[in-house]
mmCIF file of all heavy atoms in Angstrom:
data_model
loop_
_atom_site.group_PDB
_atom_site.id
_atom_site.type_symbol
_atom_site.label_atom_id
_atom_site.label_comp_id
_atom_site.label_asym_id
_atom_site.label_seq_id
_atom_site.Cartn_x
_atom_site.Cartn_y
_atom_site.Cartn_z
ATOM 1 N N ARG A 636 40.386 -46.883 43.806
ATOM 2 C CA ARG A 636 40.198 -48.340 43.626
ATOM 3 C C ARG A 636 39.165 -48.860 44.621
ATOM 4 O O ARG A 636 38.317 -49.678 44.295
ATOM 5 C CB ARG A 636 41.539 -49.074 43.811
ATOM 6 C CG ARG A 636 42.413 -49.057 42.561
ATOM 7 C CD ARG A 636 43.484 -50.132 42.617
ATOM 8 N NE ARG A 636 44.387 -49.961 43.754
ATOM 9 C CZ ARG A 636 45.463 -49.148 43.758
ATOM 10 N NH1 ARG A 636 45.760 -48.438 42.684
ATOM 11 N NH2 ARG A 636 46.232 -49.055 44.827
ATOM 12 N N MET A 637 39.243 -48.362 45.865
ATOM 13 C CA MET A 637 38.259 -48.785 46.878
ATOM 14 C C MET A 637 36.863 -48.329 46.470
ATOM 15 O O MET A 637 35.886 -49.069 46.623
ATOM 16 C CB MET A 637 38.625 -48.197 48.243
ATOM 17 C CG MET A 637 39.902 -48.772 48.807
ATOM 18 S SD MET A 637 40.332 -47.997 50.374
ATOM 19 C CE MET A 637 39.109 -48.730 51.464
ATOM 20 N N LEU A 638 36.783 -47.107 45.938
ATOM 21 C CA LEU A 638 35.484 -46.616 45.444
ATOM 22 C C LEU A 638 34.961 -47.542 44.349
ATOM 23 O O LEU A 638 33.764 -47.851 44.302
ATOM 24 C CB LEU A 638 35.626 -45.215 44.861
ATOM 25 C CG LEU A 638 35.671 -44.034 45.813
ATOM 26 C CD1 LEU A 638 35.802 -42.738 45.017
ATOM 27 C CD2 LEU A 638 34.408 -44.007 46.658
ATOM 28 N N GLY A 639 35.873 -47.977 43.487
ATOM 29 C CA GLY A 639 35.500 -48.888 42.407
ATOM 30 C C GLY A 639 34.889 -50.169 42.958
ATOM 31 O O GLY A 639 33.914 -50.689 42.417
ATOM 32 N N ASP A 640 35.450 -50.641 44.080
ATOM 33 C CA ASP A 640 34.908 -51.861 44.688
ATOM 34 C C ASP A 640 33.505 -51.625 45.260
ATOM 35 O O ASP A 640 32.740 -52.565 45.453
ATOM 36 C CB ASP A 640 35.839 -52.375 45.793
ATOM 37 C CG ASP A 640 37.066 -53.048 45.186
ATOM 38 O OD1 ASP A 640 36.961 -53.555 44.048
ATOM 39 O OD2 ASP A 640 38.130 -53.037 45.833
ATOM 40 N N LEU A 641 33.192 -50.334 45.523
ATOM 41 C CA LEU A 641 31.830 -50.008 45.971
ATOM 42 C C LEU A 641 30.953 -49.584 44.795
ATOM 43 O O LEU A 641 29.828 -49.124 44.968
ATOM 44 C CB LEU A 641 31.866 -48.896 47.019
ATOM 45 C CG LEU A 641 32.516 -49.224 48.359
ATOM 46 C CD1 LEU A 641 32.502 -48.010 49.267
ATOM 47 C CD2 LEU A 641 31.804 -50.388 49.050
ATOM 48 N N GLY A 642 31.510 -49.677 43.584
ATOM 49 C CA GLY A 642 30.725 -49.403 42.377
ATOM 50 C C GLY A 642 30.661 -47.946 41.979
ATOM 51 O O GLY A 642 29.725 -47.528 41.284
ATOM 52 N N VAL A 643 31.649 -47.123 42.396
ATOM 53 C CA VAL A 643 31.673 -45.717 41.954
ATOM 54 C C VAL A 643 32.993 -45.458 41.244
ATOM 55 O O VAL A 643 34.057 -45.709 41.798
ATOM 56 C CB VAL A 643 31.535 -44.737 43.145
ATOM 57 C CG1 VAL A 643 31.593 -43.290 42.648
ATOM 58 C CG2 VAL A 643 30.229 -44.970 43.876
ATOM 59 N N LEU A 644 32.924 -44.957 40.021
ATOM 60 C CA LEU A 644 34.144 -44.693 39.255
ATOM 61 C C LEU A 644 34.447 -43.201 39.252
ATOM 62 O O LEU A 644 33.654 -42.399 38.776
ATOM 63 C CB LEU A 644 33.981 -45.161 37.810
ATOM 64 C CG LEU A 644 33.593 -46.618 37.596
ATOM 65 C CD1 LEU A 644 33.609 -46.933 36.106
ATOM 66 C CD2 LEU A 644 34.533 -47.555 38.341
ATOM 67 N N CYS A 645 35.598 -42.854 39.825
ATOM 68 C CA CYS A 645 36.088 -41.475 39.796
ATOM 69 C C CYS A 645 37.520 -41.514 39.277
ATOM 70 O O CYS A 645 38.167 -42.552 39.302
ATOM 71 C CB CYS A 645 36.070 -40.871 41.206
ATOM 72 S SG CYS A 645 34.398 -40.592 41.823
ATOM 73 N N VAL A 646 38.021 -40.363 38.830
ATOM 74 C CA VAL A 646 39.375 -40.351 38.258
ATOM 75 C C VAL A 646 40.364 -39.798 39.284
ATOM 76 O O VAL A 646 40.151 -38.693 39.815
ATOM 77 C CB VAL A 646 39.432 -39.481 36.975
ATOM 78 C CG1 VAL A 646 40.815 -39.559 36.341
ATOM 79 C CG2 VAL A 646 38.369 -39.927 35.974
ATOM 80 N N PRO A 647 41.426 -40.531 39.574
ATOM 81 C CA PRO A 647 42.433 -40.042 40.531
ATOM 82 C C PRO A 647 43.074 -38.741 40.045
ATOM 83 O O PRO A 647 43.344 -38.579 38.841
ATOM 84 C CB PRO A 647 43.487 -41.159 40.564
ATOM 85 C CG PRO A 647 42.854 -42.347 39.924
ATOM 86 C CD PRO A 647 41.783 -41.847 39.006
ATOM 87 N N GLY A 648 43.341 -37.834 40.983
ATOM 88 C CA GLY A 648 43.926 -36.538 40.637
ATOM 89 C C GLY A 648 45.268 -36.653 39.944
ATOM 90 O O GLY A 648 45.656 -35.746 39.188
ATOM 91 N N THR A 649 45.982 -37.736 40.173
ATOM 92 C CA THR A 649 47.269 -37.942 39.507
ATOM 93 C C THR A 649 47.131 -37.800 37.988
ATOM 94 O O THR A 649 48.042 -37.312 37.324
ATOM 95 C CB THR A 649 47.815 -39.349 39.869
ATOM 96 O OG1 THR A 649 47.980 -39.377 41.281
ATOM 97 C CG2 THR A 649 49.136 -39.650 39.204
ATOM 98 N N ALA A 650 45.993 -38.215 37.438
ATOM 99 C CA ALA A 650 45.772 -38.120 35.988
ATOM 100 C C ALA A 650 45.795 -36.665 35.522
ATOM 101 O O ALA A 650 46.042 -36.386 34.348
ATOM 102 C CB ALA A 650 44.435 -38.751 35.612
ATOM 103 N N PHE A 651 45.530 -35.720 36.464
ATOM 104 C CA PHE A 651 45.494 -34.296 36.106
ATOM 105 C C PHE A 651 46.698 -33.550 36.681
ATOM 106 O O PHE A 651 46.713 -32.322 36.711
ATOM 107 C CB PHE A 651 44.206 -33.653 36.657
ATOM 108 C CG PHE A 651 42.958 -34.423 36.330
ATOM 109 C CD1 PHE A 651 42.401 -35.309 37.242
ATOM 110 C CD2 PHE A 651 42.345 -34.276 35.098
ATOM 111 C CE1 PHE A 651 41.262 -36.024 36.947
ATOM 112 C CE2 PHE A 651 41.200 -34.992 34.793
ATOM 113 C CZ PHE A 651 40.654 -35.874 35.708
ATOM 114 N N GLY A 652 47.661 -34.312 37.180
ATOM 115 C CA GLY A 652 48.848 -33.683 37.784
ATOM 116 C C GLY A 652 48.565 -33.141 39.172
ATOM 117 O O GLY A 652 49.285 -32.258 39.631
ATOM 118 N N ALA A 653 47.508 -33.642 39.841
ATOM 119 C CA ALA A 653 47.169 -33.154 41.183
ATOM 120 C C ALA A 653 46.844 -34.333 42.102
ATOM 121 O O ALA A 653 45.678 -34.585 42.405
ATOM 122 C CB ALA A 653 45.998 -32.174 41.117
ATOM 123 N N PRO A 654 47.864 -35.074 42.533
ATOM 124 C CA PRO A 654 47.607 -36.212 43.411
ATOM 125 C C PRO A 654 46.969 -35.753 44.726
ATOM 126 O O PRO A 654 47.113 -34.601 45.116
ATOM 127 C CB PRO A 654 49.005 -36.812 43.651
ATOM 128 C CG PRO A 654 49.986 -35.804 43.172
ATOM 129 C CD PRO A 654 49.278 -34.875 42.238
ATOM 130 N N GLY A 655 46.245 -36.703 45.374
ATOM 131 C CA GLY A 655 45.616 -36.373 46.661
ATOM 132 C C GLY A 655 44.174 -35.919 46.502
ATOM 133 O O GLY A 655 43.473 -35.716 47.490
ATOM 134 N N TYR A 656 43.733 -35.788 45.252
ATOM 135 C CA TYR A 656 42.349 -35.382 44.960
ATOM 136 C C TYR A 656 41.755 -36.369 43.964
ATOM 137 O O TYR A 656 42.473 -37.193 43.385
ATOM 138 C CB TYR A 656 42.326 -33.965 44.362
ATOM 139 C CG TYR A 656 42.680 -32.915 45.376
ATOM 140 C CD1 TYR A 656 44.022 -32.705 45.742
ATOM 141 C CD2 TYR A 656 41.706 -32.158 45.997
ATOM 142 C CE1 TYR A 656 44.362 -31.767 46.706
ATOM 143 C CE2 TYR A 656 42.034 -31.204 46.946
ATOM 144 C CZ TYR A 656 43.359 -31.017 47.297
ATOM 145 O OH TYR A 656 43.687 -30.088 48.244
ATOM 146 N N PHE A 657 40.470 -36.297 43.763
ATOM 147 C CA PHE A 657 39.866 -37.135 42.727
ATOM 148 C C PHE A 657 38.747 -36.354 42.040
ATOM 149 O O PHE A 657 38.161 -35.448 42.629
ATOM 150 C CB PHE A 657 39.360 -38.472 43.300
ATOM 151 C CG PHE A 657 38.263 -38.352 44.330
ATOM 152 C CD1 PHE A 657 36.935 -38.512 43.982
ATOM 153 C CD2 PHE A 657 38.561 -38.092 45.659
ATOM 154 C CE1 PHE A 657 35.922 -38.410 44.929
ATOM 155 C CE2 PHE A 657 37.556 -37.989 46.622
ATOM 156 C CZ PHE A 657 36.241 -38.150 46.261
ATOM 157 N N ARG A 658 38.509 -36.689 40.761
ATOM 158 C CA ARG A 658 37.486 -35.956 40.005
ATOM 159 C C ARG A 658 36.220 -36.785 39.847
ATOM 160 O O ARG A 658 36.278 -37.963 39.459
ATOM 161 C CB ARG A 658 37.996 -35.587 38.620
ATOM 162 C CG ARG A 658 37.023 -34.644 37.888
ATOM 163 C CD ARG A 658 37.395 -34.455 36.433
ATOM 164 N NE ARG A 658 37.021 -35.616 35.630
ATOM 165 C CZ ARG A 658 37.191 -35.707 34.310
ATOM 166 N NH1 ARG A 658 37.756 -34.704 33.663
ATOM 167 N NH2 ARG A 658 36.821 -36.791 33.649
ATOM 168 N N ALA A 659 35.090 -36.151 40.161
ATOM 169 C CA ALA A 659 33.785 -36.779 39.929
ATOM 170 C C ALA A 659 33.075 -35.961 38.859
ATOM 171 O O ALA A 659 32.936 -34.746 38.986
ATOM 172 C CB ALA A 659 32.967 -36.789 41.212
#
Side-chain angles (χ1 to χ4, degrees):
R636 278 198 299 276
M637 292 177 73
L638 280 180
D640 284 333
L641 294 179
V643 179
L644 304 185
C645 291
V646 184
T649 299
F651 310 97
Y656 290 78
F657 63 98
R658 188 190 76 178

